[in-house]
Amino acid sequence: AEQVSGGGYDVVWKNSANGHYSVWSTDSSGNFVTTLAAAPEVLGSDPTLKALEPTLQQDLNGDGTIGVPIASPVTIEALGSTSVVVSGGNYYLTNISTGVGPTLKYQGNVVDTANYTTWSVIAAEQVSSGGYDVVWKNSANGHYSVWSTDSTGNFLTTLAAAPEVLGSDPSLKALEPTLQQDLNGDGTVGAAPTSGDGFAFDFTQSGASLTAPSEPPDFIPAPADPWTASDQWTSPADSHGTAAIDILADFLQARHDFDFQLT
């Protein structure tokens, strides 16, 4: 127990049967007023119990630390101009050049990673308005959510087609160039080219690049040899011409003989 600034006391109970804790708040006469922590009975690992340890000036749950342990900062991603850093259970949207940036907030309150269970931030980038686009991913079902925040990191609205979308959603893919990364892991930053399209954007380079068509072009036969072609056309003409002359000669000879007989 410890007397607090209001004159009352914070009193910690522990259940020896299950190891659970309960924290009372009393008035100055020691009379119970309410329970503290997240619930009337909490586990030793509960963050709200750990948060009360500095007030009680002792390691209540025996984890070797008074208060919530401060983990070393972890950089989630550092593409573009903004990096996402987790420190002390909070997300920092840090300018890579200056090392300064706001914490991510919802309704003015700093986002606590412990309150978002299977959701975690995987990417963020400052946009032209001064605010940030922040991408969340749910590790349980693979869904995504994209926040738009103001310049202080406070949530304004969700982007994409809905507050929660699949990785294949075109509206999520359309945001990838802004975030400068392949969010859904399909191997393409932005919308993939349509089938048969021989042009694709490569956002990892300085510009666009051409890719090979998905199918080879139709076979185009070589042009005919002019000499061979000439032979093919002139030879039949010569043979037909000779035959015609022979027939005409026979006809004239027969006519001549016929006329001769008449005279």
Side-chain angles (χ1 to χ4, degrees):
E2 187 69 25
Q3 190 171 25
V4 293
S5 58
Y9 297 85
D10 288 354
V11 181
V12 183
W13 296 77
K14 183 176 181 180
N15 188 328
S16 60
N18 58 18
H20 292 182
Y21 296 79
S22 183
V23 184
W24 285 11
S25 174
T26 77
D27 59 22
S28 58
S29 65
N31 189 51
F32 172 83
V33 175
T34 187
T35 57
L36 303 176
E41 185 174 341
V42 296
L43 297 172
S45 58
D46 191 281
T48 57
L49 177 70
K50 296 178 183 181
L52 290 167
E53 290 181 334
T55 301
L56 278 298
Q57 302 181 45
Q58 58 184 293
D59 178 14
L60 298 173
N61 61 359
D63 66 357
T65 303
I66 294 177
V68 179
I70 300 176
S72 300
V74 175
T75 300
I76 302 300
E77 65 95 357
L79 298 173
S81 64
T82 306
S83 66
V84 180
V85 178
V86 176
S87 180
N90 305 134
Y91 291 109
Y92 291 83
L93 311 176
T94 306
N95 183 291
I96 293 176
S97 298
T98 64
V100 177
T103 54
L104 184 62
K105 305 175 187 70
Y106 183 77
Q107 295 183 344
N109 299 311
V110 176
V111 168
D112 186 342
T113 57
N115 295 332
Y116 286 77
T117 59
T118 58
W119 285 95
S120 59
V121 173
I122 62 168
E125 189 66 23
Q126 190 169 27
V127 294
S128 58
S129 65
Y132 298 83
D133 288 356
V134 181
V135 183
W136 294 77
K137 184 176 182 180
N138 189 328
S139 60
N141 58 18
H143 292 182
Y144 296 80
S145 184
V146 186
W147 284 13
S148 174
T149 80
D150 61 20
S151 59
T152 69
N154 191 48
F155 171 84
L156 294 176
T157 186
T158 56
L159 303 176
E164 184 174 341
V165 296
L166 298 172
S168 58
D169 192 281
S171 62
L172 176 71
K173 296 179 182 180
L175 290 167
E176 291 183 333
T178 301
L179 278 299
Q180 302 184 43
Q181 58 184 290
D182 177 15
L183 299 172
N184 61 359
D186 66 356
T188 302
V189 175
T194 57
S195 177
D197 189 356
F199 185 77
F201 284 105
D202 180 6
F203 290 97
T204 62
Q205 304 296 328
S206 59
S209 63
L210 286 173
T211 60
S214 59
E215 295 181 357
D218 293 335
F219 174 72
I220 301 176
D225 182 80
W227 296 106
T228 304
S230 175
D231 292 343
Q232 290 174 349
W233 284 102
T234 57
S235 294
D238 290 345
S239 61
H240 287 299
T242 302
I245 292 172
D246 292 341
I247 293 171
L248 179 59
D250 292 342
F251 172 78
L252 292 175
Q253 182 63 44
R255 179 64 181 267
H256 178 270
D257 293 341
F258 179 77
D259 291 341
F260 180 77
Q261 291 175 2
L262 290 177
T263 57

